[in-house]
Amino acid sequence: MNDTLYQLATVAIPMIVAIVFHEVAHGRMARLLGDRTAQDRGRLSFNPLRHVDPVGTVFLPGMLALAHAPVFGWAKPVPVDVRGLPHPRRAMMIVGAAGPAMNFALAAVAAVGIGILARIEPGAGLVAQFVFDNLVNFLVINLSLACFNLLPLPPFDGSHIVEGLLPERAANAYARLRPLGLPIILVLLVVLPWLMPAIDPVRALLVQPVSWLGEHYLALASLVAGRPLDA
């Protein structure tokens, strides 16, 4: 297989799975709390075609991975309407937290899978290597996606968690920043690093927690493998 296509496949497949499960987790948690919006629009399905954005879910992450840049992406957001629920702000906090929680759980599944495959002899073949590479990327992508979405900036999940934790007056003031969320993200992700390459606040906030979590998930993989695994 062409090396570029191989790399794209080992990024695109885990990225699609991670994002689809992330979005479905939001919708299913909303349904559990009483909001049927996602269910009525057929968005609780794990069918990737209902969630994948060709640019944000496949093309952009693949290009970033090939360029050895931080990988991130997005999907078609699952529609949620908690305004009719008791304590809607708290409900939205729980719905928002469900996506990253799902990614942390999927990272644990990836770690177990890595540990199991590590027990297979090196000569197991191309298929086993392909699965192993997908699992490694699946682990990193899920941890990155979870931490990225926990940033306390609109429209990320972290902003809903912050709103749910703040007192009402402070939460209302914070919510007024929501229309500014996209410009703020563009400045932090694109403009600031381009103007001042030495300053990359988002990457600085993400690299350390993702690395720290990766070490602990790798420890789980080593435990399953029965031997230490290299980072």
Side-chain angles (χ1 to χ4, degrees):
M1 183 186 294
N2 179 278
D3 187 56
T4 300
L5 290 177
Y6 183 91
Q7 291 183 51
L8 282 174
T10 59
V11 172
I13 293 172
M15 176 63 77
I16 290 171
V17 175
I19 289 181
V20 167
F21 273 73
H22 177 102
E23 293 299 329
V24 172
H26 286 315
R28 289 189 177 271
M29 180 57 71
R31 178 65 188 91
L32 186 64
L33 295 175
D35 171 33
R36 295 177 53 91
T37 307
Q39 178 175 315
D40 292 343
R41 297 186 188 181
R43 295 297 303 280
L44 297 188
S45 167
F46 287 96
N47 180 355
L49 296 178
R50 293 188 177 273
H51 304 282
V52 166
D53 180 298
V55 175
T57 315
V58 181
F59 180 77
L60 178 62
M63 293 300 100
L64 291 173
L66 291 178
H68 303 290
V71 176
F72 65 92
W74 62 83
K76 300 173 185 175
V78 167
V80 173
D81 186 357
V82 297
R83 289 174 295 181
L85 301 181
H87 310 293
R89 188 169 282 135
R90 296 292 174 87
M92 195 62 213
M93 176 183 71
I94 297 171
V95 171
M102 173 60 75
N103 292 125
F104 286 130
L106 290 175
V109 172
V112 171
I114 290 169
I116 292 172
L117 282 182
R119 290 179 174 270
I120 299 175
E121 292 298 323
L126 180 61
V127 173
Q129 185 62 49
F130 181 73
V131 174
F132 185 84
D133 291 341
N134 269 274
L135 286 172
V136 170
N137 286 339
F138 193 52
L139 173 60
V140 175
I141 286 170
N142 273 289
L143 293 180
S144 300
L145 189 61
C147 292
F148 190 71
N149 274 280
L150 286 173
L151 291 173
L153 295 171
F156 296 140
D157 300 327
S159 67
H160 298 301
I161 296 172
V162 170
E163 278 189 45
L165 294 174
L166 288 174
E168 186 172 357
R169 288 185 63 184
N172 290 334
Y174 181 80
R176 287 195 286 271
L177 295 175
R178 195 160 293 281
L180 301 175
L182 184 57
I184 292 173
I185 292 168
L186 289 175
V187 168
L188 293 177
L189 283 179
V190 180
V191 178
L192 193 58
W194 180 66
L195 292 176
M196 295 177 283
I199 301 177
D200 190 346
V202 173
R203 185 167 186 170
L205 287 171
L206 290 178
V207 169
Q208 187 170 349
V210 170
S211 297
W212 182 82
L213 287 167
E215 291 177 1
H216 287 75
Y217 278 89
L218 186 63
L220 172 60
S222 299
L223 181 64
V224 175
R227 60 181 176 84
L229 298 177
D230 295 330

